[in-house]
Amino acid sequence: MRSSWRDRDRDFRKPLPGGETTQRHLTEALHKTQTDNKPIPGFDPNRDDIQYYRAQQGIDCDEVYPGIYIGDAATAKNKEYLKMLGITHLLNAAEGKKFGFVNTDANYYKDTTIKYLGLPLADLFTTDISKYFYTAADFIDEAVSMGGKAFVNCMLGMSRSATCVLAYLMIKKNMLAVDAVETVRKNRHILPNTGFLQQLADLDNHLRRQRL
């Protein structure tokens, strides 16, 4: 079942100045934006210590917006690193036990102070991730609003997790989809699948209509 905001847009389409946002616009924004080369968050790049260096191996994480981090499955399971970063909220956008999912849940983090939210999303262009856009945005916003830090993961930290963060920037920070894509892509190599990009374009058109 489609989410209500998409149904409303189908029923009443106000013309948008400059036309509709399309998947192609977002794909172009992804490809034209270069990702900066930055040190791993939480580590001092100037410290020369073999044990310290080894602790960074297996970490795949980037701060893509103040207080918001995107990472892969292995990093999401590294509770020691999450504690070092000061993560208060963790959103697993790929919760599940099958191949391509990340097998964590609230119980996995029960020995920490991290608040957990899991979304059972497959990285397929046919997956309706849009029904979770506002849920994910509210969760991330809760972390940022209280001065905390949100870590958002999927399997590789490129598609499902990135899409959730992009939706947050659009819904809570009033960013246009293209601007959100450029902001995140500058800080991490993300690549949402084509279906997710289309749903983000639909969200962008919906939010733009609301602001008319």
Side-chain angles (χ1 to χ4, degrees):
M1 182 178 177
R2 291 291 183 181
S3 52
S4 59
W5 61 266
R6 299 184 85 174
D7 293 331
R8 287 198 301 273
D9 273 5
R10 268 194 290 274
D11 294 338
F12 183 58
R13 286 188 178 274
K14 299 176 188 173
L16 288 169
E20 303 267 323
T21 303
T22 67
Q23 177 200 317
R24 198 184 87 187
H25 292 138
L26 304 189
T27 301
E28 288 174 352
L30 278 172
H31 292 313
K32 79 175 187 181
T33 307
Q34 294 293 315
T35 303
D36 294 341
N37 188 18
K38 301 182 302 175
I40 299 171
F43 288 98
D44 178 359
N46 299 314
R47 183 169 162 184
D48 188 14
D49 176 339
I50 189 66
Q51 290 300 113
Y52 193 70
Y53 176 75
R54 282 177 180 160
Q56 299 177 52
Q57 304 308 298
I59 300 288
D60 179 8
C61 172
D62 292 288
E63 186 173 20
V64 297
Y65 191 79
I68 302 174
Y69 301 78
I70 294 178
D72 69 354
T75 309
K77 292 182 176 182
N78 189 333
K79 291 184 274 191
E80 187 177 332
Y81 176 67
L82 298 176
K83 182 179 179 181
M84 183 176 80
L85 265 189
I87 298 301
T88 58
H89 292 61
L90 187 139
L91 168 55
N92 177 3
E95 185 184 74
K97 297 181 180 179
K98 296 179 183 176
F99 179 78
F101 290 79
V102 182
N103 186 18
T104 61
D105 53 22
N107 194 53
Y108 182 83
Y109 299 98
K110 70 178 182 181
D111 58 342
T112 74
T113 57
I114 293 172
K115 184 172 182 178
Y116 174 87
L117 174 65
L119 304 178
L121 294 163
D123 187 19
L124 301 171
F125 74 93
T126 53
T127 296
D128 184 8
I129 195 171
S130 71
K131 64 186 177 183
Y132 293 114
F133 280 167
Y134 283 84
T135 300
D138 286 344
F139 185 77
I140 296 169
D141 193 55
E142 180 182 278
V144 176
S145 297
M146 63 176 270
K149 294 180 179 180
F151 184 94
V152 187
N153 77 275
C154 51
M155 201 57 199
L156 298 176
M158 295 177 69
S159 183
R160 288 165 282 189
S161 54
T163 301
C164 288
V165 172
L166 292 169
Y168 159 80
L169 292 174
M170 293 161 63
I171 293 167
K172 299 296 184 179
K173 297 300 179 182
N174 296 322
M175 282 193 192
L176 295 174
V178 167
D179 295 337
V181 166
E182 290 174 351
T183 297
V184 176
R185 175 76 166 206
K186 196 170 188 314
N187 291 294
R188 183 175 177 82
H189 183 77
I190 60 165
L191 199 61
N193 70 49
T194 56
F196 292 175
L197 289 176
Q198 182 58 58
Q199 292 171 66
L200 287 168
D202 291 344
L203 175 65
D204 194 52
N205 293 325
H206 165 73
L207 293 170
R208 288 169 64 204
R209 284 192 174 89
Q210 279 191 327
R211 295 170 194 142
L212 289 176

